[in-house]
């Protein structure tokens, strides 16, 4: 038995109501060790426990090379023989860095604990021997039986045992998992349904002792394999029996389920990738640079140590004053000691305080993002939020934006906006709508965004039979089910499009009331009529249309059909009237980015119906490819149609989406859309939000596969449109978009070289649309882009289905939308609206990148130039590791004297104004191309710092060697020159002088001179002569004109190249460029668009697979929606007519993706 | 959605939070840059010319008296066996050496800036703290105690290696030597003399007994309290020569002030004529290829003679001027070609 289970891959055992069995195998953990089988239902996204915080946090912090290095330096400085400068000069900054970082980590982790706690404390009902008891989510164990009420979130992955609905159906909303808002239904096994349901459901459940054998926990949302062993029988289980954690129960009063996977074993949490520590590219380059500096430092120290050894060997023996000091040690040993001495002396070139400054700047930039009133959304009182504080500069470098569709680009509200009936277009697209007076309609529920009194008048006066027929068609031709609440019909549809149409018909007086298996009841302007449903020709993505064949109360047979324009128009009667105006209407709707459907009718003669129904029933019994056969039969019926009209539905975009995407595209970003939704919808939204130009060609399916299979994708894109390519190279390059679906993507990931090709190909296209992808696939796409291109990826989404990709991307942005807060919880940045992205990237991102790059360069420059002076001095002091500066200057230099001006620059600097950032998105490419911080720039910076250090030492040395000035005077001279040089340099970098910047510069200069004078004062010397032995050095030096002349000259020569390059830059650049700085033109985004020739698009995106059609025709789903008196009848009829076991097969089309 | 009870999270609309602080954004243009360079260049040239001319007026007389060459006057003193060697260096001035004349001694190839040498002194001891007389700080090792483990005062390598050649200057007038008075007062830093170095207070009225229980530095011929027995203000740690020596040089080639010539007939300078300099040659430098020098110099407002400073200013100034010309040419070309495009 066990062997066969292993073969079938079902190794996960769940025993219902067996608490002790599961208790024994609970997963436990201690520190980082885990054992046990079943996880508890607790979400743990935090990292530290009180016990592990200190070691873990210190471990993490010392993973940073610089911190580890400075720890080493501190240790070295405590060894007296090599201590060239006192220990506190490194220890204090290091402690400060560790403390700040530790506090920050602790605060972040506490925040995570809080949000975890909120989730873990949610209530749910568990079956105990005393009946159902309300407990917290975290108490749910595998094997528990849970009771879930309507509109509750399901706390764990449950096996649906039964529900209060007939046939133990239940409806779930999976928006948090796949982003689709339409309802899906789940159904219990018939055996559990029949055995457990009844008046004593609690007792039945308590006595339930089935054993579930299923797969081990995995992240595949759309597959589940398992079997239920109960009462000696084996029943197969699949995804239809599973209620996933995170989904919401809808339209079902109570559902009972058996917990199978809990906590981290559940499908949704398996889909959430691990919490990854994100580092920016700039930081990685910085780390590499620090490593280079470290290597350089060690090499230099080594060479200097060799120098010291040689000096010891050659000079010292003759030089008794020194040789006695060395205590007869061997030159090699002295060289070794000197090596460590130089390591300490050169250690300031490692920019340790840079990391702390870096973090402070990041934090301030994050605050500024949160403070930006332009990114605050009043409707839900949410400002922008930076949750990860280390990624700011990467906001200025994003090359690929990968966006979710539902809830991110679109509001996920489909609105009936316009229609075309009998040569007239009704409804307008203006923003301000005058709501129609619909008080005459007692079924009106509101929510109609359609305004045209003419149509209402025509309908009420019954003066236009075409209009009446049109709405009759809308009220009849669908697979929607109705539910009565408060005396009003509410609709459940497989697709939001259908719902929008049926709702629109209801508002305008054609109310779909209810349906049974064979009838449809509608109210036409208050007049209730029953239509007999003869056949339902369901939707498939291939047919792109659906029809109903009904017998109206008058006994006439009518076929109502709706579908994509291309399919419907070619099935119309020949020479149909109004051809031209229809074409024009379709074009007009396409321009407004509306989704169109054509509605048509056909009167069917009785004879045709009889014959056709016979063919149909024959087909039903025939074997072979039933689908193709059915398609042909349907095709016979759907012809000679008469066009009734065209509907136009708006897939409401979020505010400002097209403008934002257009600006971002101008900024050089590649915007990809990754959605769980259908291809048609995605394409339509793509066009609507200016992701693609109206005349963009779509490359998809087989064509795409061919391109990818070919050795070089470039060639094929070119050869696609050879003439155009020659005339306008750039246009063609950007006039294509790739469309790929989830299954195709899965295939592609199997062939690894396709990923590179795909990304290379996408670089030449305007956009990429990935449709029907799972959350895990979204992450895979992000991963693919990360792997095959060098650019920074940003993922934006609002639902739990986007969590994975948000975590995978370099930067994840969560929208605090309606779909719950999971995306925000896992995001690096949280925004209220998609349109804020423009400001986040172009303004904050650009500024952050600019500021941080300048800051890093300046920092590296200032620390290395400072430390390198020691090297030059060592040639004149016998390689004895004699510091060039006073030790106080060494410890105060980075912390007090030079930190503020550069920090001010990091806070306030603006190379271009907000308006210019938004007006000229092209500026953004600086970051994408890494123009301000790349190896070349770094090399130049470091070379420049070498130059500066040479000047800083040799000029004062050259001048003072002729005078009787002592070491301390030279030290003061060089110190002052260093400080002035660095201050001038930061002044040159600053282009945006606020009062704070001025104050910071003044402060650091004043601080330097005052503290230097103070440190050289009598008071401090008398307190501790050995620490303040520079007594009188600076007053003496500063009263010598020679020193001032030297300082002035040194500073000027040191900054001369920098000034010259800037001056040459000014002279050489086009004067027009300056306008960017000063322009105050209002931001006009629209003017940039130029509508090209429009192509008509129509998409019938009614359903992702087959609709509810089969469910309706077999009548399974109906009872709950039909009026109460019908309930029993239908339920009975179902039992008779639906053959056993067919349910599973029937449903598969609806759920599988 | 907006809840009245909930605190609004609307950010403050201030210039600071919205990054709209009033700011000055200097925009450089060729019209500023090119004249700017020219002005800076001219200013540097001006200073450079001034410095150079000033430097030219300063008189310097340098004499190496190490005695490396056999015919040099101090050659006999380089022989180790000779004790209390004296030699005579003569020179003649063809014109008045304008006063006040500064008299330096110079050493080359001498690493006073060697780190371990530099730290080898006890600041506490030198402030007259007798507690440190008995137990000098470790930094002085191996010059903290002598072989009999007596503490050395002043301890450390710097003090131990104090320069101890002395000089007497005579003008030879008609074959007779006329002593030129040398002024040794105030040649050290004011802070050193008044704050940094303090003598221990006398014990029982005797300055020497403050040093009881200590020994003189190994290389010193006499103890610290015997440095100048004539003037108590110039004795002990406050001896000017000691102070000058203790202020260590920055580079291996250095000069230190020995005396000033400010008194008597020579207040206005050294008149033309022949001079003889008697050197009490004590300090050995040849073992490490060192050199000893004597330097007479007068000073100007900018200090001693320093051609380097003036020349450096001139070079930088002319570089700036050249740059401004280059930029002007580039700009003109660039602008014209730009106009052509337009």
């Amino acid at each position: 038995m066990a062997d066969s289970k292993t073969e079938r891959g079902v190794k996960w055992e769940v025993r219902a109501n067996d608490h002790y069995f599961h208790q024994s195998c609970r997963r436990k953990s201690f520190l980082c060790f885990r054992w046990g089988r079943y996880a508890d239902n607790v979400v743990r996204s935090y990292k530290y426990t009180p016990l592990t915080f200190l070691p873990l946090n210190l471990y993490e912090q010392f993973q940073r090379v610089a911190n580890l290095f400075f720890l080493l330096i501190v240790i070295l400085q405590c060894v007296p023989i090599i201590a060239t400068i006192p220990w506190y000069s490194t220890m204090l900054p290091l402690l400060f860095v560790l403390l700040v970082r530790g506090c920050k980590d602790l605060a972040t982790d506490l925040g995570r604990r809080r949000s975890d706690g909120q989730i873990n404390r949610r209530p749910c009902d568990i079956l105990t021997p005393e009946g159902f008891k309300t407990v917290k989510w975290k108490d749910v164990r595998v094997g528990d039986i849970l009771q879930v009420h309507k509109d509750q979130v399901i706390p764990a992955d449950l096996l649906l045992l039964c529900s209060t609905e007939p046939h133990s159906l239940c409806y779930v909303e999976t928006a948090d998992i796949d982003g689709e808002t339409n309802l899906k239904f789940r159904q219990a096994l018939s055996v559990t349904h029949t055995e457990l349901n009844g008046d004593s459901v609690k007792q039945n459940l308590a006595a339930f002792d089935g054993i579930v054998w299923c797969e081990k926990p995995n992240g595949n949302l759309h597959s589940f394999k398992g079997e239920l062993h109960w009462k000696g029988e084996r029943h197969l289980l699949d995804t239809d029996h599973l209620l996933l954690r995170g989904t919401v129960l809808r339209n079902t009063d109570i559902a009972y389920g058996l917990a199978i996977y809990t906590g981290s074993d559940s499908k949704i949490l398996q889909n959430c990738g691990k919490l990854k520590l994100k580092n920016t590219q700039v930081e990685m380059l910085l780390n590499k640079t620090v490593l280079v500096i470290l290597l350089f430092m060690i090499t230099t120290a080594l060479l200097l140590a060799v120098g010291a050894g040689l000096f010891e060997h050659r000079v010292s023996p003759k030089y008794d004053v020194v040789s006695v000091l060395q205590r007869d040690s061997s030159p090699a040993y002295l060289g070794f000691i000197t090596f460590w001495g130089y390591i300490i002396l050169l250690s300031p070139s490692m920019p340790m305080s840079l990391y702390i400054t870096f973090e402070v700047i990041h934090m301030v930039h994050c605050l500024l993002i949160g403070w930006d009133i332009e990114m605050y959304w009043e409707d839900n009182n949410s400002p922008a939020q930076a949750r990860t504080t280390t990624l700011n500069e990467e906001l200025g470098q994003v090359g690929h934006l990968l966006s979710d569709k539902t809830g991110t680009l679109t509001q996920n509200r489909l609105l009936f906006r316009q229609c075309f009936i009998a040569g007239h277009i009704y409804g307008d697209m203006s923003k301000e709508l005058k709501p129609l007076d619909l008080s005459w309609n007692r079924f009106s529920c509101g929510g109609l965004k359609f305004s045209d009194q003419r149509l209402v008048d025509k309908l009420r006066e019954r003066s236009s039979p075409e209009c009446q027929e049109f709405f009759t068609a809308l009220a009849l031709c669908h697979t929607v089910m109705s539910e009565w609440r408060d005396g009003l019909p509410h609709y459940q549809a497989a697709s939001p499009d259908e719902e929008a149409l049926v709702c629109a018909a209801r508002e305008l007086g054609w109310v779909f009331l209810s349906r049974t298996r064979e009838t449809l009841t509608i109210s036409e302007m208050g007049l209730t009529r029953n239509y007999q449903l003869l056949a339902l020709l369901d939707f498939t993505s291939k047919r792109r249309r659906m029809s109903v064949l009904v017998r109206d109360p008058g006994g006439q047979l009518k076929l109502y059909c709706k579908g994509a324009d291309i399919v419907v128009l070619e099935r119309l009667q020949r020479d149909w009237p109004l051809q031209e105006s229809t074409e024009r209407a379709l074009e007009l709707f396409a321009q407004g980015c509306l989704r169109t459907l054509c509605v048509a009718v056909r009167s069917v003669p009785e004879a045709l119906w009889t014959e056709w129904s016979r063919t149909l029933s024959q087909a039903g019994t025939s074997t072979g490819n039933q689908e193709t056969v059915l398609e042909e039969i349907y095709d016979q019926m759907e012809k000679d149609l008469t066009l009734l009209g065209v509907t136009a539905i708006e897939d409401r975009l979020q505010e400002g989406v097209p403008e934002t995407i257009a600006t971002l595209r101008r900024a050089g970003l590649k915007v990809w859309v990754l959605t769980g939704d259908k291809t048609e919808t995605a394409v339509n939204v793509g066009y609507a939000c200016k992701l693609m130009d109206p005349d963009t060609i779509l490359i998809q399916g087989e064509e795409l596969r061919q391109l990818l299979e070919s050795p070089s994708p470039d060639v094929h894109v070119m050869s696609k449109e050879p003439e155009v390519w020659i005339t306008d190279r750039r246009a063609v390059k950007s006039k294509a978009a790739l469309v790929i679906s989830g299954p195709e993507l899965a295939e592609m990931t199997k062939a690894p070289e396709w990923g590179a090709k795909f990304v290379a190909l996408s670089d030449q296209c305007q956009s990429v649309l990935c449709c029907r992808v799972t959350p895990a696939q979204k992450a895979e796409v992000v991963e693919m882009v990360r792997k095959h291109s060098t650019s920074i990826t940003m993922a934006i989404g609002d639902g739990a289905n986007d969590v994975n990709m948000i975590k995978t991307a370099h930067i994840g942005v969560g929208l605090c939308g309606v779909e719950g807060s999971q995306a925000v919880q896992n995001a690096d940045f949280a925004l209220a609206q998609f349109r804020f992205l423009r400001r986040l990237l172009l303004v904050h991102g650009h500024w952050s990148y600019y500021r941080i790059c300048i800051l890093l360069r300046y920092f590296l420059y200032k620390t290395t130039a400072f430390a390198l002076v020691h090297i030059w001095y060592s040639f004149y002091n016998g390689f004895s590791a004699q510091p060039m500066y006073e030790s106080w200057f060494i410890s105060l230099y980075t912390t007090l004297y030079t930190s503020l001006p550069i920090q001010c620059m990091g806070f306030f600097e603006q190379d271009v104004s907000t308006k210019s950032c938004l007006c000229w998105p092209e500026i953004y490419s600086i970051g994408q191309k890494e123009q301000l911080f790349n190896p070349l720039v770094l090399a130049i910076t470091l070379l420049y710092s070498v130059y500066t250090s040479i000047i800083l030492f040799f000029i004062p040395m050259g001048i003072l060697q002729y005078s009787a000035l002592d070491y301390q005077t030279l030290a003061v001279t060089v110190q002052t020159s260093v400080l002035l040089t660095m201050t001038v340099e930061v002044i040159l970098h600053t282009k945006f002088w606020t009062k704070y910047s001025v104050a910071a510069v003044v402060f650091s200069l004043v601080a330097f001179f005052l503290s230097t004078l103070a440190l050289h004062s009598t008071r401090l010397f008398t307190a501790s002569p050995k620490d303040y032995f520079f007594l009188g050095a600076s007053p003496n030096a500063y009263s010598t004109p020679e020193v001032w002349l030297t300082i002035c000259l040194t500073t000027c020569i040191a900054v001369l190249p920098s000034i010259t390059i800037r001056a040459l830059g000014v002279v050489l650049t086009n004067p027009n460029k300056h306008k960017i700085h000063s322009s105050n033109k209002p931001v006009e985004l629209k003017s940039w668009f130029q509508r090209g020739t429009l192509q008509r698009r129509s998409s019938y995106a009614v359903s992702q697979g087959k609709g509810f059609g089969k469910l309706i025709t077999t009548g399974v789903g109906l009872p709950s929606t039909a009026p109460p008196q019908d309930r029993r009848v239908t339920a009975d009829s179902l039992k008779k007519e639906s053959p056993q076991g067919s349910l599973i097969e029937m449903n598969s089309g609806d759920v599988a993706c | 959605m907006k809840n009245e009870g909930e605190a609004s999270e609307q950010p403050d609309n201030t210039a600071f939070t919205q990054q709209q602080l009033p700011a000055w954004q200097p925009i450089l243009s060729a019209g500023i840059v090119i004249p700017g360079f020219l002005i800076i260049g001219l200013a540097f040239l001006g200073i450079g010319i001034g410095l150079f001319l000033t430097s030219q007026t300063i008189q310097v007389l340098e004499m190496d008296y190490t005695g490396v060459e056999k015919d040099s006057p101090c050659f006999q003193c380089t022989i180790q066996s000779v004790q209390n060697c004296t030699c005579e260096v003569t020179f003649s001035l063809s014109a008045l050496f304008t006063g006040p004349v500064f008299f330096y001694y110079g050493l080359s190839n001498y690493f006073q800036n060697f780190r371990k040498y530099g730290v080898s002194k006890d600041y506490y001891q030198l402030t007259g703290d007798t507690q440190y007389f008995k137990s000098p700080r470790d930094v002085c090792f191996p010059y903290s105690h002598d072989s009999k483990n007596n503490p050395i005062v002043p301890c450390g390598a710097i003090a131990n290696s104090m320069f101890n050649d002395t000089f007497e200057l005579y003008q030879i007038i008609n074959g007779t030597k006329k002593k030129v008075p040398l002024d040794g007062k105030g040649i050290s830093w004011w802070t050193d003399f008044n704050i940094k170095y303090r003598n221990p207070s006398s014990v029982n009225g005797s300055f020497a007994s403050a040093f009881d229980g200590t020994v003189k530095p190994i290389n010193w011929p006499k103890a610290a309290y015997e440095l100048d027995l004539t003037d108590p203000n110039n004795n002990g740690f406050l001896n000017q020569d000691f102070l000058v020596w203790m202020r260590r040089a920055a580079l291996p080639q250095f000069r230190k002030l020995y005396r000033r010539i400010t008194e008597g007939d020579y207040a206005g300078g050294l008149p033309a004529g022949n001079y003889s300099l008697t050197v009490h040659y004590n300090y050995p430098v040849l073992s490490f290829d060192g050199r000893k020098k004597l330097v007479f110099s007068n000073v100007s407002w900018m200090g001693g003679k320093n051609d380097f400073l003036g020349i450096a200013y001139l070079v930088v100034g002319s570089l700036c001027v050249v740059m401004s010309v280059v930029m002007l040419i580039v700009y003109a070309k660039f602008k014209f070609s730009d106009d052509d495009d337009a």
Side-chain angles (χ1 to χ4, degrees), chain B residues 84-99:
Chain B
N84 291 331
C85 177
T86 316
C87 54
E88 206 137 320
V89 182
T90 54
F91 62 93
S92 64
L93 297 173
S94 54
L96 173 74
F97 203 102
T98 328

mmCIF file of all heavy atoms in Angstrom, chain B residues 84-99:
data_model
loop_
_atom_site.group_PDB
_atom_site.id
_atom_site.type_symbol
_atom_site.label_atom_id
_atom_site.label_comp_id
_atom_site.label_asym_id
_atom_site.label_seq_id
_atom_site.Cartn_x
_atom_site.Cartn_y
_atom_site.Cartn_z
ATOM 1 N N ASN B 84 86.822 66.910 22.968
ATOM 2 C CA ASN B 84 86.704 68.368 23.076
ATOM 3 C C ASN B 84 87.377 69.088 21.910
ATOM 4 O O ASN B 84 88.181 69.973 22.075
ATOM 5 C CB ASN B 84 87.329 68.858 24.386
ATOM 6 C CG ASN B 84 86.481 68.392 25.552
ATOM 7 O OD1 ASN B 84 85.278 68.221 25.396
ATOM 8 N ND2 ASN B 84 87.123 68.179 26.694
ATOM 9 N N CYS B 85 87.084 68.599 20.738
ATOM 10 C CA CYS B 85 87.718 69.147 19.542
ATOM 11 C C CYS B 85 87.140 70.506 19.205
ATOM 12 O O CYS B 85 85.942 70.736 19.328
ATOM 13 C CB CYS B 85 87.509 68.179 18.392
ATOM 14 S SG CYS B 85 88.171 68.785 16.840
ATOM 15 N N THR B 86 87.968 71.391 18.810
ATOM 16 C CA THR B 86 87.529 72.711 18.369
ATOM 17 C C THR B 86 88.095 72.966 16.983
ATOM 18 O O THR B 86 89.236 72.589 16.701
ATOM 19 C CB THR B 86 88.062 73.809 19.308
ATOM 20 O OG1 THR B 86 87.885 73.366 20.639
ATOM 21 C CG2 THR B 86 87.330 75.114 19.102
ATOM 22 N N CYS B 87 87.300 73.550 16.138
ATOM 23 C CA CYS B 87 87.841 73.913 14.835
ATOM 24 C C CYS B 87 87.331 75.285 14.462
ATOM 25 O O CYS B 87 86.362 75.782 15.034
ATOM 26 C CB CYS B 87 87.504 72.877 13.781
ATOM 27 S SG CYS B 87 85.756 72.501 13.630
ATOM 28 N N GLU B 88 87.978 75.835 13.492
ATOM 29 C CA GLU B 88 87.682 77.223 13.148
ATOM 30 C C GLU B 88 87.265 77.318 11.680
ATOM 31 O O GLU B 88 87.995 76.867 10.812
ATOM 32 C CB GLU B 88 88.921 78.084 13.378
ATOM 33 C CG GLU B 88 88.560 79.514 13.666
ATOM 34 C CD GLU B 88 89.410 80.067 14.801
ATOM 35 O OE1 GLU B 88 89.650 79.330 15.783
ATOM 36 O OE2 GLU B 88 89.825 81.218 14.691
ATOM 37 N N VAL B 89 86.089 77.889 11.453
ATOM 38 C CA VAL B 89 85.615 78.072 10.084
ATOM 39 C C VAL B 89 85.638 79.562 9.803
ATOM 40 O O VAL B 89 85.132 80.351 10.596
ATOM 41 C CB VAL B 89 84.183 77.533 9.930
ATOM 42 C CG1 VAL B 89 83.710 77.680 8.505
ATOM 43 C CG2 VAL B 89 84.099 76.088 10.382
ATOM 44 N N THR B 90 86.308 79.920 8.717
ATOM 45 C CA THR B 90 86.359 81.351 8.408
ATOM 46 C C THR B 90 85.564 81.657 7.155
ATOM 47 O O THR B 90 85.402 80.810 6.280
ATOM 48 C CB THR B 90 87.823 81.799 8.174
ATOM 49 O OG1 THR B 90 88.363 80.944 7.177
ATOM 50 C CG2 THR B 90 88.621 81.687 9.444
ATOM 51 N N PHE B 91 85.036 82.843 7.126
ATOM 52 C CA PHE B 91 84.337 83.297 5.912
ATOM 53 C C PHE B 91 84.441 84.805 5.848
ATOM 54 O O PHE B 91 84.728 85.455 6.852
ATOM 55 C CB PHE B 91 82.889 82.839 5.903
ATOM 56 C CG PHE B 91 82.048 83.382 7.045
ATOM 57 C CD1 PHE B 91 81.299 84.540 6.907
ATOM 58 C CD2 PHE B 91 82.047 82.716 8.280
ATOM 59 C CE1 PHE B 91 80.537 85.018 7.954
ATOM 60 C CE2 PHE B 91 81.285 83.214 9.334
ATOM 61 C CZ PHE B 91 80.526 84.365 9.174
ATOM 62 N N SER B 92 84.189 85.326 4.676
ATOM 63 C CA SER B 92 84.250 86.784 4.576
ATOM 64 C C SER B 92 83.008 87.300 3.860
ATOM 65 O O SER B 92 82.437 86.632 3.015
ATOM 66 C CB SER B 92 85.517 87.208 3.814
ATOM 67 O OG SER B 92 85.430 86.723 2.502
ATOM 68 N N LEU B 93 82.584 88.448 4.285
ATOM 69 C CA LEU B 93 81.420 89.074 3.660
ATOM 70 C C LEU B 93 81.908 90.271 2.853
ATOM 71 O O LEU B 93 82.667 91.081 3.351
ATOM 72 C CB LEU B 93 80.449 89.554 4.746
ATOM 73 C CG LEU B 93 79.833 88.467 5.628
ATOM 74 C CD1 LEU B 93 79.041 89.110 6.763
ATOM 75 C CD2 LEU B 93 78.925 87.560 4.814
ATOM 76 N N SER B 94 81.446 90.317 1.600
ATOM 77 C CA SER B 94 81.896 91.430 0.751
ATOM 78 C C SER B 94 81.003 92.641 0.944
ATOM 79 O O SER B 94 81.367 93.750 0.586
ATOM 80 C CB SER B 94 81.896 91.000 -0.710
ATOM 81 O OG SER B 94 80.617 90.500 -1.035
ATOM 82 N N ALA B 95 79.818 92.401 1.514
ATOM 83 C CA ALA B 95 78.924 93.542 1.734
ATOM 84 C C ALA B 95 78.212 93.335 3.055
ATOM 85 O O ALA B 95 78.287 92.246 3.655
ATOM 86 C CB ALA B 95 77.915 93.641 0.603
ATOM 87 N N LEU B 96 77.509 94.342 3.456
ATOM 88 C CA LEU B 96 76.785 94.248 4.726
ATOM 89 C C LEU B 96 75.719 93.166 4.643
ATOM 90 O O LEU B 96 74.966 93.074 3.672
ATOM 91 C CB LEU B 96 76.129 95.609 5.035
ATOM 92 C CG LEU B 96 75.191 95.611 6.241
ATOM 93 C CD1 LEU B 96 75.988 95.544 7.543
ATOM 94 C CD2 LEU B 96 74.295 96.831 6.223
ATOM 95 N N PHE B 97 75.714 92.338 5.650
ATOM 96 C CA PHE B 97 74.682 91.322 5.767
ATOM 97 C C PHE B 97 73.615 91.909 6.680
ATOM 98 O O PHE B 97 73.753 91.961 7.892
ATOM 99 C CB PHE B 97 75.292 90.067 6.388
ATOM 100 C CG PHE B 97 74.544 88.813 6.082
ATOM 101 C CD1 PHE B 97 75.022 87.935 5.094
ATOM 102 C CD2 PHE B 97 73.385 88.476 6.757
ATOM 103 C CE1 PHE B 97 74.338 86.780 4.801
ATOM 104 C CE2 PHE B 97 72.708 87.326 6.466
ATOM 105 C CZ PHE B 97 73.176 86.455 5.483
ATOM 106 N N THR B 98 72.526 92.364 6.055
ATOM 107 C CA THR B 98 71.561 93.180 6.786
ATOM 108 C C THR B 98 70.942 92.416 7.959
ATOM 109 O O THR B 98 70.629 91.232 7.857
ATOM 110 C CB THR B 98 70.420 93.634 5.847
ATOM 111 O OG1 THR B 98 70.951 93.785 4.543
ATOM 112 C CG2 THR B 98 69.810 94.928 6.331
ATOM 113 N N GLY B 99 70.800 93.111 9.054
ATOM 114 C CA GLY B 99 70.247 92.485 10.239
ATOM 115 C C GLY B 99 68.746 92.632 10.309
ATOM 116 O O GLY B 99 68.169 93.371 9.506
#
